[in-house]
Amino acid sequence: MAWPTPQDYQEAMQNPCNALGNPELQTGRVEEDQLGLPRPISGGFASVYKVFCPSRTWAVRCFLKEFLDQQQRYAAISNQLAISKFPFATHFEFFQQGIRIRGNWYPIVKMEWVQGESLTRFVENNIHSPQKLLSVGLDVVEIARVLNRAGVAHGDLQHGNILVSNGKPKLIDYDGMYVPALRGWQTHEAGHPNYQLPRDDSDFGPGLDNFSVWVIYLSLRALSIRPTLWSQFQGGDDCLIFRRADFEEPARSAVLQELKRFPEPEIKQLTTAFESLLSLSPLKVPMIDPGLPKAAPPSKPTADWLYDHLPHPPPQPTGAAFNLANKLAQINQIPRPSDIYTIWHSPGVSPTPWPLLPHPPVSPAVPGILVSPPAFPTFEPPPAQFHPAVVPIDSLQYSIGVAALIFIALTPLSAGLGVVVGALGAGNPLAAAFVAGVGFFVGAVLFTTWWTVLEVKRRQEEKELNHEYQEERRLHKALQQEHVERCKKRLKEQQDQARRKYDELVAKWNGEILPYKQETARRREAFQGAKSRLQRAELQWKTVSDAAIQLFDRKKAELGRLKDDYDAVENQREAELKQMLAKARENQFHAHLRQHLVEHAVIDNIGPARRRALKSAGVLTAMEVSRDRIKQIQGFGDALADNIVKWRRDQVETSFIFKTAKAIAPHEMQAFESKYQHLRQLIQRRFDAVEQELTKISLDAATQLSQLTQQIKACMNQLGQAETDLTVIPRSL
């Protein structure tokens, strides 16, 4: 049965009511193109159709290839998503009987339609919005973290499977997803080449998305700083800025060389770390940890006068504190329990030779006379001298028998006739009929007796004639019985002799095979013991790793909170400093206004008399000048008020210069800086303590896990040796 083509799916989707098996989808309307045909979104594994249903809109995925384990895979993925309830995942349902084509059912996936734009379209539309690009990049990193903690991997993180909706990324297309229930399985999907290292079907496990996250975050971070990279490296052409060739030949990669020339140290460090990953296997790539603020820095300084006059804050500590990306990259070395650690068997393992003979003795064969005894010789009786004789029935006996049957038949007939006649009222005829019946009965008895006497006589004569024949038969039977008894006796003697010889051989073989049986039992016990020790070592490895990871993650989160606390202190310092400077500026500004007297000012239409009126009203300096206050003075209208306000604005205010050197007194500034320096030192000390704890946790876990790994290697070597030893054991043992 040929698998449907994209054209088959498009024809079937023209009539969803008859083609689709899900009742809700049957009521839906498929999105159409300009020609009125269903509009497919084709990919490497499926054709996707948008179906509008009364309750919601669905995406229907029709598979372009057949995989026998599709149903089991999607069942495992569905169970994991139901348990984890990831906010960035979409609801879906798998139907084995999803769509009918040419009378046959084929599977589909019904997935909630996500209204959003692909990652490349989002980047193209927001290429000059660095904050949005960086925010989505950090969200993708956080999504990968959440998946890693759950032991899950999407398997194909790329621009087509990441939709940005309301500024937040969501994941679609779960064909290649790995969940813990699929451990040991292989994948059918190699992922998008521009987001993956080369991998085969066995590269399927947790951490599979780590390299893709490096590609996405580094691309978005670089674009947030230099948007021209998008056009320079033809971003959006099935990639962000990287392509598979950049991973295969990094020395010739123009993208990597350009990123190394960035003046920003962060991009240089990320690029160098990224290059070091290209030689790893896909499952060995570590998770990226940007350790960056959630918003991009402004592209240019603010025009606010206060920003220009702010004194620069003291530099942040140059030690381990607040350099989370580099520091955690150095100490975050605790292996995840779901990570694959490679352990090789010892080379040159060969089976241990048998301790006695090169090969165990062959068990003796059971004699054929005991398994399938031979048939007895055929008995040949003496020639027969007599033959059976038969005396035929003569005509007299035959006639008498016929007469007896006639009389027997007439007896009930005459008796029945008498009953009928008597019932009709004829008395004498009844008696006559009765007498006739009795007569017939007596005749029947006489004839039957006569026939019986003749039959006895005939049989007696026949018996006398066959007497010699019967005697001869009894003699032949007795001879045959004697023949059988002789054969049985001879066979028993032969079988007893063969059994004695066989028992002797078996006893001898048991003595010779005993060392082999003991060696076989020892090797099987060694195999089971090595297997049990390996399982215990792996369980202990996972337990130690789990405990260390939980403790490490808690301390790591505490480091993040301390960094947030430090940032909060800096923000608080900046805000308080702004307030102090604003207050100082206000005081200097008011003093500047008070220095400009109205009586000495040159103001249009304001002569001595009006100056005296202003002085009498309390308007002595530019500080007291306001439009409403002047209009309340008698003789001052709108025009005069405007002239005085214009003088204050154009001559007095514009001549003000904020003197930052005199804004805050030295002792106040020293007390201010001392307060925040103390807060920084408190956070720094706690940060250093947590960093030491993190390092200790990592080192202790690395030491324990290293010992356990060596133990696991030894157990695996022992198991391999024991398994090899079992291969030379014959099946008979």
Side-chain angles (χ1 to χ4, degrees):
M1 181 174 62
W3 196 257
T5 63
Q7 181 64 29
D8 295 331
Y9 285 127
Q10 189 175 34
E11 293 175 359
M13 291 299 291
Q14 295 180 24
N15 191 359
C17 181
N18 295 330
L20 298 178
N22 179 252
E24 183 179 10
L25 295 178
Q26 291 176 351
T27 63
R29 176 179 59 84
V30 183
E31 184 182 48
E32 298 176 347
D33 57 16
Q34 297 178 351
L35 300 177
L37 298 175
R39 184 195 304 275
I41 304 174
S42 297
F45 286 84
S47 289
V48 182
Y49 296 87
K50 186 176 183 180
V51 180
F52 302 93
C53 293
S55 59
R56 65 176 68 181
T57 303
W58 297 97
V60 176
R61 293 177 55 82
C62 303
F63 297 99
L64 300 179
K65 297 180 181 179
E66 180 183 13
F67 299 112
L68 299 179
D69 56 1
Q70 271 180 334
Q71 187 171 6
Q72 294 85 348
R73 284 180 181 270
Y74 269 95
I77 295 170
S78 177
N79 292 337
Q80 182 66 44
L81 295 183
I83 294 172
S84 302
K85 298 181 180 178
F86 299 128
F88 45 82
T90 54
H91 171 71
F92 76 93
E93 296 177 68
F94 178 87
F95 298 99
Q96 187 66 29
Q97 292 188 346
I99 186 170
R100 182 165 49 197
I101 297 176
R102 296 187 296 273
N104 298 317
W105 286 104
Y106 297 92
I108 65 168
V109 169
K110 174 178 133 182
M111 180 176 289
E112 183 180 359
W113 184 270
V114 178
Q115 192 64 37
E117 51 189 355
S118 67
L119 183 58
T120 50
R121 180 63 61 86
F122 173 83
V123 173
E124 185 176 4
N125 294 337
N126 298 275
I127 192 64
H128 296 294
S129 299
Q131 293 182 350
K132 292 183 179 180
L133 297 182
L134 184 56
S135 177
V136 169
L138 292 171
D139 287 339
V140 172
V141 173
E142 186 58 27
I143 286 174
R145 285 190 204 282
V146 174
L147 292 177
N148 271 349
R149 293 192 194 105
V152 177
H154 180 273
D156 189 19
L157 281 185
Q158 42 106 344
H159 59 268
N161 293 334
I162 300 177
L163 298 182
V164 182
S165 177
N166 297 324
K168 293 294 181 181
K170 282 185 170 290
L171 305 185
I172 62 172
D173 185 2
Y174 305 140
D175 292 341
M177 177 170 280
Y178 170 86
V179 297
L182 299 180
R183 183 178 183 182
W185 291 40
Q186 291 188 339
T187 181
H188 302 308
E189 185 168 337
H192 198 293
N194 293 338
Y195 295 82
Q196 300 284 342
L197 288 171
R199 72 191 205 202
D200 54 27
D201 294 344
S202 61
D203 292 324
F204 190 51
L208 187 58
D209 298 330
N210 290 353
F211 184 79
S212 303
V213 176
W214 272 91
V215 173
I216 294 171
Y217 178 78
L218 180 55
S219 301
L220 295 179
R221 183 59 179 149
L223 288 170
S224 70
I225 297 175
R226 189 180 297 177
T228 55
L229 295 175
W230 185 253
S231 58
Q232 181 179 354
F233 296 104
Q234 298 180 356
D237 183 17
D238 209 25
C239 69
L240 290 174
I241 58 175
F242 288 103
R243 289 179 169 81
R244 172 60 70 86
D246 299 313
F247 312 150
E248 295 176 344
E249 298 182 14
R252 302 176 60 182
S253 171
V255 180
L256 292 174
Q257 301 306 320
E258 183 69 20
L259 295 182
K260 289 180 181 179
R261 290 192 289 268
F262 266 51
E264 290 79 3
E266 175 201 345
I267 298 298
K268 290 183 177 179
Q269 294 173 3
L270 285 174
T271 305
T272 302
F274 179 73
E275 275 190 303
S276 67
L277 306 177
L278 301 180
S279 60
L280 301 178
S281 63
L283 295 178
K284 293 296 183 181
V285 176
M287 184 61 196
I288 190 173
D289 191 349
L292 298 172
K294 298 299 181 181
S299 58
K300 60 181 180 178
T302 176
D304 185 13
W305 67 270
L306 191 57
Y307 180 88
D308 297 329
H309 296 88
L310 279 175
H312 295 291
Q316 292 187 357
T318 58
F322 318 117
N323 193 8
L324 292 181
N326 294 336
K327 177 52 62 177
L328 293 180
Q330 297 173 8
I331 63 179
N332 188 7
Q333 299 296 328
I334 300 176
R336 298 281 165 173
S338 53
D339 285 351
I340 298 176
Y341 46 87
T342 304
I343 298 178
W344 293 271
H345 292 285
S346 299
V349 175
S350 58
T352 302
W354 288 91
L356 298 178
L357 299 175
H359 298 286
V362 180
S363 60
V366 180
I369 194 172
L370 298 179
V371 178
S372 300
F376 293 160
T378 304
F379 174 70
E380 295 292 342
Q385 299 179 3
F386 303 96
H387 301 281
V390 178
V391 178
I393 299 175
D394 57 10
S395 58
L396 176 62
Q397 185 179 355
Y398 178 79
S399 301
I400 294 173
V402 173
L405 291 176
I406 293 174
F407 276 100
I408 290 173
L410 292 177
T411 298
L413 181 62
S414 60
L417 181 61
V419 173
V420 173
V421 174
L424 296 176
N428 292 333
L430 174 61
F434 180 76
V435 172
V438 172
F440 283 123
F441 176 74
V442 173
V445 171
L446 293 175
F447 279 107
T448 301
T449 302
W450 191 4
W451 183 85
T452 302
V453 171
L454 294 177
E455 178 64 18
V456 170
K457 182 180 179 182
R458 185 190 67 80
R459 292 190 177 184
Q460 184 65 30
E461 183 181 357
E462 187 176 78
K463 183 178 179 181
E464 292 175 356
L465 291 175
N466 291 321
H467 176 70
E468 291 81 0
Y469 171 74
Q470 295 295 335
E471 288 296 328
E472 188 180 49
R473 286 189 61 188
R474 281 192 293 272
L475 177 61
H476 287 181
K477 188 174 182 181
L479 294 175
Q480 184 178 9
Q481 186 65 29
E482 292 177 2
H483 170 77
V484 171
E485 292 298 330
R486 286 194 304 271
C487 292
K488 286 183 177 180
K489 182 178 179 181
R490 189 181 305 111
L491 177 62
K492 186 176 183 303
E493 292 174 353
Q494 294 174 352
Q495 287 181 332
D496 291 343
Q497 183 179 3
R499 184 173 288 107
R500 284 193 299 271
K501 292 182 179 180
Y502 176 70
D503 291 342
E504 292 175 359
L505 294 175
V506 169
K508 180 181 178 182
W509 177 80
N510 285 332
E512 295 174 348
I513 203 66
L514 181 59
Y516 294 93
K517 290 184 177 180
Q518 293 174 346
E519 176 66 12
T520 299
R522 185 195 67 78
R523 295 189 182 195
R524 287 173 176 161
E525 290 177 0
F527 175 78
Q528 294 299 330
K531 186 176 180 181
S532 299
R533 288 192 297 273
L534 176 61
Q535 292 174 347
R536 288 194 299 269
E538 288 181 334
L539 179 61
Q540 187 177 1
W541 189 92
K542 183 179 184 302
T543 302
V544 171
S545 180
D546 280 341
I549 287 171
Q550 292 177 3
L551 183 58
F552 187 91
D553 287 344
R554 286 199 298 270
K555 293 298 180 181
K556 184 177 175 182
E558 187 174 351
L559 278 185
R561 291 193 295 270
L562 288 173
K563 184 179 184 304
D564 293 339
D565 292 343
Y566 188 91
D567 293 340
V569 168
E570 291 304 314
N571 294 334
Q572 181 181 351
R573 175 190 176 280
E574 183 177 341
E576 186 174 348
L577 184 59
K578 283 184 178 181
Q579 293 177 359
M580 294 172 63
L581 290 172
K583 183 65 176 177
R585 182 184 184 280
E586 183 181 1
N587 293 336
Q588 290 186 15
F589 182 66
H590 289 171
H592 176 73
L593 293 178
R594 292 189 186 97
Q595 291 176 0
H596 290 74
L597 301 177
V598 175
E599 62 180 349
H600 297 157
V602 178
I603 306 175
D604 293 342
N605 299 325
I606 302 298
R610 286 175 175 161
R611 286 191 179 90
R612 287 193 296 272
L614 290 171
K615 185 176 182 181
S616 300
V619 181
L620 303 178
T621 66
M623 180 68 185
E624 292 85 20
V625 172
S626 69
R627 181 181 178 83
D628 293 338
R629 184 172 182 178
I630 293 174
K631 288 179 62 177
Q632 293 177 0
I633 302 174
Q634 185 177 3
F636 286 82
D638 292 336
L640 293 177
D642 290 340
N643 290 340
I644 298 173
V645 171
K646 184 175 183 296
W647 163 76
R648 167 178 167 153
R649 183 183 66 245
D650 296 344
Q651 298 184 28
V652 179
E653 292 183 0
T654 56
S655 64
F656 171 72
I657 298 176
F658 179 43
K659 300 178 178 59
T660 57
K662 300 180 179 180
I664 304 175
H667 69 280
E668 293 180 356
M669 193 64 189
Q670 183 178 2
F672 172 80
E673 293 295 355
S674 298
K675 179 180 71 171
Y676 284 100
Q677 184 64 24
H678 177 67
L679 294 177
R680 292 191 198 97
Q681 290 175 353
L682 292 177
I683 298 175
Q684 178 69 52
R685 284 196 292 270
R686 181 56 188 158
F687 194 101
D688 294 339
V690 175
E691 179 198 339
Q692 293 176 1
E693 294 175 9
L694 265 177
T695 304
K696 186 177 183 303
I697 293 170
S698 182
L699 291 176
D700 292 346
T703 301
Q704 296 182 56
L705 293 176
S706 177
Q707 295 173 355
L708 289 173
T709 300
Q710 295 302 321
Q711 184 178 346
I712 290 174
K713 287 183 179 180
C715 290
M716 290 192 71
N717 289 333
Q718 294 172 7
L719 182 62
Q721 178 66 51
E723 187 176 6
T724 305
D725 290 344
L726 289 177
T727 59
V728 299
I729 297 177
R731 294 184 178 180
S732 59
L733 296 180

